[in-house]
Amino acid sequence: MKEFVHLHLHTEYSLLDGMCRIGKVTQLAHKYGMKALAVTDHGTMAGVLKFYEESLRHGLKPIIGVEMYIAPESRFDQKYDSKKEAFFHITLLARNNQGYQNLLKLSTLSYIEGFYYKQRIDKEILAKYSEGLIALGGCLKGEASSYVLNGDMDKAAETVSLYQDIVGRDNFYLEVMDNKIPDQEKANRLLIELSGKTGAGLVATNDCHYLKKED
């Protein structure tokens, strides 16, 4: 049986959204026998230090990341009529110290330069600070997922190719999730097809916001 590691997880630092208290989620991951755990809060790295310390305390390898908001075109654009049009989601993970430094830079710039509804980056600065990063395609609000659900496989493939160029072909993955959401099940089938067309790897995530189902 292969081991599962959460690579898309939200803590209480995903304000008004994440319900996983860092101390409790690291403790529970250890209880379940997990060897590692990632943190990918929405648009912020505010909980990273606490997450790092608590992960080590519970014998876990901490994987530092963030689920960023990425503008469809330029981060300076403020032409969109709604929040839905103003950004996609993308999951970024640091694979080394350089990647961690670049996450800090991107996070800072998302507030200083890209804020419109949310703190946003764009492909331009992602390319500039891509060294040491692994990019995952995100949830249903990810760019590729949005396009495949709208029936535009060509645009989705073009998008995957762009991200492969930015972070490296071996450092971009499409996320598939088994969360029983009908749109997600449809997206999974199409993302698997997209993976075959583009050569992008697939990774199983769970967009974790809660410790337990009853939460």
Side-chain angles (χ1 to χ4, degrees), residues 26 31 115 143 198:
T26 49
K31 179 181 177 181
F115 201 100
E143 196 165 354
T198 62

Side-chain angles (χ1 to χ4, degrees), residues 60-190:
L60 301 168
K61 176 183 179 179
I63 300 170
I64 305 304
V66 59
E67 184 176 14
M68 288 192 167
Y69 304 102
I70 186 161
E73 297 175 50
S74 171
R75 65 192 181 278
F76 299 109
D77 284 345
Q78 297 190 1
K79 62 185 181 182
Y80 306 101
D81 295 328
S82 72
K83 181 170 67 173
K84 185 177 180 181
E85 299 171 335
F87 54 81
F88 296 107
H89 292 199
I90 186 168
T91 313
L92 300 176
L93 304 173
R95 57 186 174 89
N96 53 33
N97 186 61
Q98 183 61 59
Y100 173 67
Q101 296 298 324
N102 282 332
L103 281 185
L104 293 175
K105 188 70 176 179
L106 289 167
S107 180
T108 300
L109 290 172
S110 73
Y111 282 91
I112 295 174
E113 296 183 350
F115 201 100
Y116 181 65
Y117 287 105
K118 297 285 189 179
Q119 55 276 32
R120 306 173 307 162
I121 61 170
D122 61 14
K123 293 181 182 71
E124 179 191 9
I125 55 170
L126 178 58
K128 186 175 180 180
Y129 299 106
S130 63
E131 186 180 347
L133 294 182
I134 291 173
L136 312 182
C139 57
L140 288 175
K141 294 181 181 178
E143 196 165 354
S145 295
S146 296
Y147 292 139
V148 298
L149 285 173
N150 287 332
D152 196 341
M153 290 293 282
D154 289 341
K155 183 66 174 177
E158 179 186 330
T159 298
V160 169
S161 180
L162 281 173
Y163 283 120
Q164 288 174 323
D165 288 343
I166 289 171
V167 298
R169 192 171 182 83
D170 294 333
N171 295 319
F172 179 77
Y173 296 82
L174 294 165
E175 293 185 55
V176 291
M177 306 179 189
D178 185 16
N179 53 23
K180 312 306 179 190
I181 297 172
D183 272 354
Q184 184 69 63
E185 292 177 356
K186 178 183 177 182
N188 286 347
R189 293 193 297 272
L190 293 170

